[in-house]
Amino acid sequence: MKTMTEEELDNWVAEMQSVVGGEFRQFRYNEKCLQVQFAKGSALKWLTFSMKPGVPYVFLTSERIPLVRNLKKPLALFLKTYFIGAILKECRRDKAKGRAVELSLTNTEQTLGLEFLLIPGRVNIEAVVDQKSVWANKPQPLPENQESSQTPSDRKVRPAETFLQEWSQGAVSKTPSATEKSQKKDLKKKKSGFEKMQQHLQKLKTAPWQELGEWLKENQTLNGLPSTWSDLIDPEQSLAWNIEHCFSQAKKNQAKIQGTEARLVQLKEEIEKLKAGDTAKQKTPAPSSLLHASGSKGRTVALQEGRVFIGKSGPENLKLLRKAKAWYLWLHIKDYPGAYGIIERNKGQKLPQASLEKAAQAVVSQSLPKGAKGSYQVIYAECRYVRPIKGAKAGQVTYSHEKVMTVKVVE
């Protein structure tokens, strides 16, 4: 990947005009990338600024792209405090600085600025609010003559899809090393388990329960036992009880031996596959549906971030709630019998209002008679704060820490 040309930057600025007037909805940021989602009407666009030191680039796409891990860096905290909900007013390129582009935004009280420097070796982001500013990296003096360096005019202009593909491949390229690290950890764990299981098998095989039982049966006494067996009998119990106990333990040991040997064979095969690099069986399975996990029938509605699962009856609602994780969100139409909605999300994740409203709309539509219209209130809370009422009709619950939103049903 080569550095963006002046023409490519100008093309990007032109593309950004379609986002002017849009809302700064959410973002992801780490030292290598900033991603911002703009919402304009029903359209969502992602702005991605790849902060590669040697070849920074920026592109705009309507596709949902892989999200970087969000780190709590000063710039991220600054953006979260001032920029969420701001409206984009202007996007332009500062030709005096060469490869530098600026976004102007406004919220209800302030004028905001966001500048991207795409200068190799001086890649940076500056966020400005009034007299306050935060940089992603320590600012450095700009070199002279930025306009023409490494940007031949005859180079073919690359579309956003090219930058998206290159960035996506860069994000995925980390996977093998992460997988390899996980594979080595798994191999070490299995080897340790294999050794412990072998030691346990040896103890099972050398346990003298059968031999002790035969000795007691032949001698008909609990006295005169070899010292190594004395801890295995219970002198407070009868001879018959001890004989039966010894043979019972011997039988249990034999079953354990067979099970342990079978598990050792399986574990050995898994270790050999890991050594050979066959990780097909070690891949993390795709997350299962909450409907499937709970054995419920219902609807699944896709959101921008995750899914919402909606039950169809009181018992089905209860099954969903019991299988939901504590930080999932529970939704229900207020003061009206109806369906539960369970929104899956990551722990601590904040969902945008648009996703909450879409989920609430689905819950209301499922709960109301066909053709019903109007405005309805929907309550929502983390599943940890929702408890079924013992002895009550299936689906009746108590809840706390709830919030309320209003949605309209027009059809």
Side-chain angles (χ1 to χ4, degrees), residues 6 24 30 41 66 76 101 122 131 136 154 170 173 189 205 217 238 244 264 283 291 332 348-349 353 359 374 386 403:
E6 302 288 324
F24 188 113
N30 60 30
V101 291
R122 291 171 173 78
Q131 302 300 317
D154 59 345
S173 67
K189 184 178 179 180
K205 287 184 175 181
K217 186 177 180 180
S238 66
E244 183 180 354
L264 281 170
K283 289 182 179 179
L291 292 175
H332 192 275
Q349 179 185 9
Q353 189 64 26
V386 184
K403 296 181 180 180

Side-chain angles (χ1 to χ4, degrees), residues 172-190:
V172 174
S173 67
K174 296 180 180 294
T175 304
S177 60
T179 303
E180 184 179 353
K181 185 177 180 180
S182 175
Q183 182 180 347
K184 288 181 179 180
K185 184 178 180 180
D186 195 19
L187 179 59
K188 183 179 179 180
K189 184 178 179 180
K190 288 184 184 295

Side-chain angles (χ1 to χ4, degrees), residues 222 233-242 245:
L222 296 176
I233 66 166
D234 187 348
E236 295 183 1
Q237 300 290 341
S238 66
L239 174 64
W241 183 92
N242 276 283
H245 177 68

Side-chain angles (χ1 to χ4, degrees), residues 105-242:
L105 305 95
T106 182
N107 57 26
T108 56
E109 300 175 352
Q110 299 155 312
T111 298
L112 319 174
L114 200 58
E115 182 180 60
F116 302 145
L117 293 180
L118 292 88
I119 302 169
R122 291 171 173 78
V123 181
N124 218 336
I125 302 174
E126 182 186 16
V128 181
V129 177
D130 295 333
Q131 302 300 317
K132 296 181 289 188
S133 67
V134 173
W135 291 84
N137 305 309
K138 184 177 179 180
Q140 300 180 44
L142 298 180
E144 297 179 358
N145 301 323
Q146 281 298 307
E147 288 79 6
S148 60
S149 60
Q150 301 181 10
T151 56
S153 59
D154 59 345
R155 185 192 298 175
K156 185 178 180 180
V157 175
R158 295 161 291 182
E161 289 76 12
T162 300
F163 294 101
L164 171 61
Q165 182 180 12
E166 197 275 341
W167 181 84
S168 299
Q169 290 174 347
V172 174
S173 67
K174 296 180 180 294
T175 304
S177 60
T179 303
E180 184 179 353
K181 185 177 180 180
S182 175
Q183 182 180 347
K184 288 181 179 180
K185 184 178 180 180
D186 195 19
L187 179 59
K188 183 179 179 180
K189 184 178 179 180
K190 288 184 184 295
K191 282 184 175 180
S192 176
F194 187 83
E195 293 174 359
K196 291 179 180 178
M197 202 172 292
Q198 282 183 317
Q199 295 171 4
H200 180 61
L201 179 62
Q202 186 61 27
K203 288 182 179 180
L204 291 174
K205 287 184 175 181
T206 56
W209 291 110
Q210 182 70 27
E211 188 179 357
L212 174 57
E214 296 290 351
W215 189 95
L216 292 174
K217 186 177 180 180
E218 180 180 350
N219 291 277
Q220 291 296 305
T221 180
L222 296 176
N223 300 319
L225 285 170
S227 59
T228 54
W229 290 353
S230 59
D231 292 338
L232 300 179
I233 66 166
D234 187 348
E236 295 183 1
Q237 300 290 341
S238 66
L239 174 64
W241 183 92
N242 276 283

Side-chain angles (χ1 to χ4, degrees), residues 147 179 276 303 348 362 378 407:
E147 288 79 6
T179 303
L303 305 176
V378 175
V407 296

Side-chain angles (χ1 to χ4, degrees), residues 1 8 52 58 98 174 206 245 287 328 336 354 391 395 403 411:
M1 179 65 70
E8 286 171 340
K52 290 188 175 182
V58 63
K174 296 180 180 294
T206 56
H245 177 68
Y328 283 7
Y336 195 94
K403 296 181 180 180
E411 296 182 353

Side-chain angles (χ1 to χ4, degrees), residues 290-291 294 296-301 308-321 330-332 338-342 362-363 365-367:
L290 186 59
L291 292 175
S294 63
S296 303
K297 295 180 180 179
R299 292 175 57 199
T300 301
V301 178
V308 57
F309 305 99
I310 305 172
K312 287 191 174 182
S313 66
E316 300 291 328
N317 288 336
L318 199 55
K319 288 180 182 179
L320 284 173
L321 179 61
W330 169 83
L331 300 91
H332 192 275
Y340 288 0
I342 305 291
V363 170
S365 298
Q366 185 69 35
S367 303

